[in-house]
Amino acid sequence: MDTLRAIALMVAGMALLAASDAFLKLASQTAPVGQVMVMLSIGATALFLVLAALRGVRLSLSEAFEPKVMLRNLFEMIGALGMIVGLSKIPLALMAAIMQTAPLVVTLGAALFLQEPVGWRRWLAIGVGLVGMLMVIRPGGAAFTGWEIFPVVGVTGLAARDLVTRLLPARIPSLAVSAYGFAAVLPVGLVVLLITGAPFSGEGETFGYMTGAVVVTAAGYLAVTMAMRMAPVSSVAPFRYTRLVFTAGLGMAIFGERPDGWTWAGAALILAAGLYSFLRENRLARQQAAVLRP
């Protein structure tokens, strides 16, 4: 029963995070991208500070300025900029498909920069996933606008952030790392506002959408955390890919998007490659554990 509840929580978490994408896209239609970044940074940072206080987690400036934490924050800035600009400019279904390549990019980065062993099967899965991304984006095609590059940069930044996260000292709590990361997005949003010269929107609609984004992001984060602690990772992690379905569905329901066949085919390739890579990693981990078990 715990496994079933964990799966339900993971699916609910993905639905909530898909709703966060929709709220951010709605907010970007009533306010400039820089303002959306500023408001997301303030709201999410405040949220994690409250969670840290409730759990008795101590935050310190010395930890925030550690080189590896600052490097992680740099990649967080790049990822946030790419993702929010992408959300504001391209359909949600395209965003969802591109975002699902993140685990494959993390595996690629771990092999190239952390010297983690990756067999030919997972290399093949990475290649298939990248082909799927190209099918979704179709650079040079009639539907290509150029804005599709931003979520690709965003996914790369977030993947690099996740790789650096593995190298952080264990003494720095996860809640503190999350708070530092979201706080780092604030200056990027301010710079974007300054460069674009876009006026700050004071519409209540914008504040409503951003409040919704912060609330559902927090709820989604909590649901995923509970799911991962309630059952084995191998049982619940594959259900992360339901976010693709939820995000595409919200795009069609709210924004009237109609993804074409190439988008669906590319998304299917990305989904298959990601699931295979995860299952392969899980199988290898079990085999290694069996060898090491006395």
Side-chain angles (χ1 to χ4, degrees):
M1 288 299 294
D2 279 350
T3 300
L4 290 178
R5 283 198 292 268
I7 290 172
L9 279 169
M10 177 61 76
V11 173
M14 293 301 101
L16 288 165
L17 293 176
S20 174
D21 294 337
F23 273 123
L24 289 172
K25 188 171 183 65
L26 287 167
S28 69
Q29 294 180 346
T30 62
V33 169
Q35 179 179 344
V36 172
M37 295 183 71
V38 167
M39 295 177 73
L40 178 64
S41 173
I42 293 173
T45 303
L47 173 69
F48 281 110
L49 289 176
V50 170
L51 288 174
L54 291 175
R55 296 189 180 185
V57 175
R58 185 184 63 85
L59 282 72
S60 70
L61 286 177
S62 61
E63 290 178 347
F65 286 100
E66 284 208 9
K68 288 178 182 176
V69 173
M70 294 182 68
L71 180 61
R72 183 191 184 277
N73 290 347
L74 173 63
F75 288 129
E76 184 85 68
M77 295 176 187
I78 295 170
L81 178 63
M83 286 301 183
I84 294 178
V85 172
L87 278 170
S88 70
K89 297 295 183 181
I90 69 173
L92 276 179
L94 266 68
M95 276 294 302
I98 295 170
M99 287 170 66
Q100 296 309 312
T101 62
L104 296 171
V105 178
V106 169
T107 301
L108 176 63
L112 295 177
F113 301 108
L114 301 182
Q115 283 76 54
E116 292 188 9
V118 174
W120 68 268
R121 293 178 181 85
R122 281 189 289 165
W123 278 116
L124 182 60
I126 291 170
V128 170
L130 295 179
V131 168
M133 182 193 287
L134 290 174
M135 289 172 63
V136 170
I137 297 174
R138 278 162 285 167
F144 183 71
T145 64
W147 293 110
E148 293 85 354
I149 299 299
F150 280 90
V152 174
V153 172
V155 163
T156 304
L158 295 180
R161 176 204 66 186
D162 291 343
L163 288 174
V164 175
T165 302
R166 299 185 186 185
L167 306 176
L168 294 180
R171 59 183 171 77
I172 304 179
S174 298
L175 280 174
V177 172
S178 299
Y180 302 147
F182 275 108
V185 175
L186 177 61
V188 181
L190 292 174
V191 169
V192 171
L193 269 176
L194 181 64
I195 292 174
T196 59
F200 198 90
S201 171
E203 293 184 23
E205 202 174 12
T206 300
F207 288 88
Y209 290 145
M210 290 307 302
T211 300
V214 171
V215 169
V216 296
T217 298
Y221 172 85
L222 181 60
V224 171
T225 302
M226 291 173 63
M228 296 296 283
R229 301 179 75 175
M230 191 180 293
V233 174
S234 59
S235 300
V236 297
F239 289 90
R240 284 180 178 272
Y241 288 97
T242 56
R243 184 174 180 175
L244 175 62
V245 178
F246 289 124
T247 305
L250 287 173
M252 290 187 282
I254 299 175
F255 303 101
E257 299 171 1
R258 293 296 180 268
D260 59 17
W262 280 100
T263 300
W264 287 121
L269 275 182
I270 294 168
L271 178 62
L275 284 173
Y276 176 80
S277 181
F278 171 79
L279 293 173
R280 180 66 181 168
E281 287 179 17
N282 186 60
R283 181 181 177 185
L284 292 174
R286 289 202 308 269
Q287 290 176 348
Q288 185 177 16
V291 170
L292 295 176
R293 188 179 301 123

